[in-house]
Amino acid sequence: MTTPMHPTHRFLILDDDPLVGQTMQFIAEDLGLETRLTNSPADFFEALEFWAPTHIAVDLIMPDMDGVQVMKQLADNGCKARLIITSGVGARVLDAAGRSAIERGLDIVGVLSKPFTAGELRRLLVGSTAPAPAGSSPATTAAAAPGLDIDLADIRQGLSRREFRVVYQPKIACESGLLSGFEALVRWVHPDYGPIWPASFIQLAEEHGLIDALTEQVLDLALEWFAPLCSEATRHPVAALSAAAGIDLSLSVNISAKTLNDLDLIDRLVERCTRLQLAPARLIFELTETSAMDNPMASLDLLTRLRMKGFHLSIDDFGTGFSSLLQLVRLPFSEIKVDKSFVMTAMHSEESRTVVKSIVDLGRSLGLRTVAEGVETAEVLGFLGNIGCHLAQGFHIARPMTGEATLRWMGERYGVT
Ligand code: C2E
Ligand code: CA
Ligand code: CA
């Protein structure tokens, strides 16, 4: 017997095969979701707007309709519902569609290759409707209010009123499960619009020279939260637990390629660390693969100087860029982060598993630490352990949480207070 889920979950299904559609409806209703089924894209988009489903399932291949177009339209509409893609096409095409949905910023919970079992659908629905723990942030790709139109003046105002907050997502060692550190992720708590996710403002801030100011505010908040966990006098018991196994907790901060032009950055970083008595080796700067390649020479200078001061560098979203391996090897990275689009689909796609394993092997052979992000299930975590990936980050371990909630999570997970 299944436990009924929250009654406000609404599941909208677009499928032209009535048998499949009705079966999905039965399964979802059995789980306590309200459902609607349609075989018409026009009805589907109307229901999307007026019924505001929390979950949708889209069949990619239907007569008179292009599934890729539907996904594009979903993305253009800023759709925040959790998306399940279904189809009878081959697994490769379905995987590619899944990755493209992720790239478009859609909140995809999984792909189901027809014929799928009731269990497979149930697992996706149950997994994606579980309530998030207190203090954690909701699905990552969601924008704030629908149709939210952020402009530059808003960001300037947000910065001057210091409305930006930082949430933390834990990273653990795949093998031992010990805590290895956190990634700091920015959130904007707007007085009128509520929480706004980075996808809605980072690019704009980058394009208009506001990203350095934003990074400064993120660093202010994150370092102030993080430093006491490590400092000898106030060290957190979970930090001590990791230290006993040779792991010094680290804090990862995302930096934009634009920031690489900021020549004073290093001095200010060193000054901050000295003031907080934090060893630079505890800080990891994450740069996306593509951004590091925009200007390889400037990157090389600044990144080398950062490394010389003891800071660590991570290549983020690895596997999605188009850089040459040679350039990558030349830059002084210490960590490689496998992009979540491959990690999230690892259990459904042989191709994704191959990509994840190749990147992990590459990282290891270059002497880099390997991190997989987007770990959403125990199964994926097990797979990562088997292929020798060092660290894991993802919803299966914890969602990004406020500083306070992170401390609670540490206490609960590792049984200390
Ligand atoms: P990212 O650096 O790749 O960060 C990881 C994103 O994946 C985060 O989204 C995180 O919430 C999400 N995530 C983590 N685990 C899972 C999982 O298991 N499943 C799924 N589906 N998603 C997961 P978030 O917080 O929305 O951040 C989006 C992007 O915004 C970040 O991607 C990063 O590029 C950028 N960003 C965030 N904070 C900052 C910042 O302070 N400065 C700069 N320059 N960029 C930032
Ligand atoms: Ca990152
Ligand atoms: Ca990433």
Side-chain angles (χ1 to χ4, degrees):
M1 194 49 223
T2 34
T3 340
M5 295 189 301
H6 201 276
T8 57
H9 287 307
R10 290 177 300 278
F11 185 37
L12 178 64
I13 306 162
L14 175 63
D15 205 305
D16 67 326
D17 181 337
L19 198 62
V20 174
Q22 280 160 17
T23 311
M24 290 174 88
Q25 265 191 306
F26 288 143
I27 297 168
E29 280 169 7
D30 185 43
L31 288 168
L33 280 81
E34 276 180 50
T35 65
R36 275 196 196 181
L37 169 64
T38 170
N39 58 9
S40 135
D43 291 351
F44 172 79
F45 279 105
E46 193 185 304
L48 193 69
E49 189 171 344
F50 296 107
W51 191 53
T54 53
H55 291 70
I56 51 185
V58 174
D59 179 0
L60 276 191
I61 308 269
M62 287 176 40
D64 310 325
M65 187 202 88
D66 172 351
V68 172
Q69 194 59 36
V70 170
M71 290 207 297
K72 180 172 180 302
Q73 201 171 332
L74 284 173
D76 291 347
N77 288 2
C79 170
K80 286 182 286 161
R82 309 218 65 191
L83 170 65
I84 295 174
I85 300 177
T86 65
S87 230
V89 292
R92 279 175 80 96
V93 177
L94 212 46
D95 286 342
R99 282 199 295 273
S100 110
I102 290 172
E103 268 154 33
R104 294 213 157 99
L106 293 171
D107 189 4
I108 175 161
V109 285
V111 287
L112 289 176
S113 185
K114 285 182 187 173
F116 49 84
T117 65
E120 285 172 306
L121 174 63
R122 198 174 286 128
R123 205 152 9 94
L124 284 184
L125 287 173
V126 171
S128 65
T129 47
S136 75
S137 60
T140 55
T141 43
L148 184 66
D149 195 12
I150 302 284
D151 67 23
L152 214 52
D154 289 323
I155 302 185
R156 282 211 183 90
Q157 193 169 52
L159 285 166
S160 70
R161 296 194 207 149
R162 299 189 83 87
E163 288 163 359
F164 294 90
R165 298 286 172 267
V166 176
V167 290
Y168 304 90
Q169 189 176 32
K171 271 160 63 176
I172 63 165
C174 291
E175 223 171 64
S176 62
L178 286 169
L179 184 64
S180 140
F182 311 93
E183 175 170 6
L185 294 160
V186 70
R187 297 289 180 263
W188 180 3
V189 185
H190 194 280
D192 304 326
Y193 307 143
I196 307 177
W197 270 254
S200 308
F201 59 86
I202 291 286
Q203 204 187 342
L204 198 62
E206 281 177 352
E207 285 165 3
H208 295 90
L210 294 175
I211 194 70
D212 288 351
L214 183 68
T215 306
E216 295 283 335
Q217 295 202 1
V218 168
L219 283 166
D220 276 347
L221 295 163
L223 294 189
E224 198 176 320
W225 176 80
F226 179 66
L229 300 181
C230 310
S231 119
E232 257 177 51
T234 53
R235 189 159 74 166
H236 194 281
V238 174
L241 208 62
S242 293
I247 305 173
D248 281 337
L249 291 194
S250 61
L251 179 77
S252 301
V253 177
N254 292 287
I255 56 169
S256 145
K258 297 273 187 289
T259 305
L260 298 181
N261 301 324
D262 178 357
L263 297 174
D264 301 328
L265 174 78
I266 298 188
D267 294 340
R268 290 199 310 275
L269 283 172
V270 171
E271 190 270 323
R272 272 171 201 278
C273 286
T274 313
R275 187 159 35 85
L276 292 163
Q277 297 186 304
L278 189 68
R282 300 262 194 175
L283 285 190
I284 303 173
F285 294 101
E286 297 195 356
L287 265 164
T288 52
E289 190 188 353
T290 18
S291 72
M293 297 308 143
D294 282 352
N295 184 352
M297 275 322 289
S299 307
L300 183 59
D301 281 352
L302 190 122
L303 298 180
T304 306
R305 285 173 62 221
L306 271 173
R307 289 288 286 125
M308 286 180 345
K309 296 288 183 191
F311 297 104
H312 285 282
L313 291 172
S314 177
I315 323 176
D316 206 349
D317 301 347
F318 193 80
T320 57
F322 300 94
S323 52
S324 84
L325 188 59
L326 191 64
Q327 282 174 318
L328 211 56
V329 174
R330 279 194 188 142
L331 293 172
F333 287 103
S334 31
E335 182 183 277
I336 187 166
K337 234 172 157 178
V338 188
D339 188 64
K340 59 176 178 291
S341 59
F342 302 108
V343 180
M344 287 166 66
T345 51
M347 286 303 125
H348 304 289
S349 150
E350 171 134 27
E351 229 176 82
S352 296
R353 281 196 294 282
T354 308
V355 173
V356 175
K357 184 167 185 310
S358 310
I359 298 177
V360 168
D361 289 346
L362 172 70
R364 289 190 84 95
S365 60
L366 293 173
L368 304 178
R369 217 154 61 137
T370 52
V371 188
E373 74 181 349
V375 179
E376 296 192 338
T377 63
E379 225 180 343
V380 172
L381 186 59
F383 163 72
L384 293 167
N386 288 338
I387 61 168
C389 180
H390 299 119
L391 304 175
Q393 173 183 343
F395 294 171
H396 171 64
I397 296 140
R399 284 181 178 253
M401 301 167 280
T402 60
E404 254 174 52
T406 304
L407 295 178
R408 278 200 301 279
W409 174 90
M410 287 163 75
E412 282 161 21
R413 178 175 173 114
Y414 296 97
V416 295
T417 44

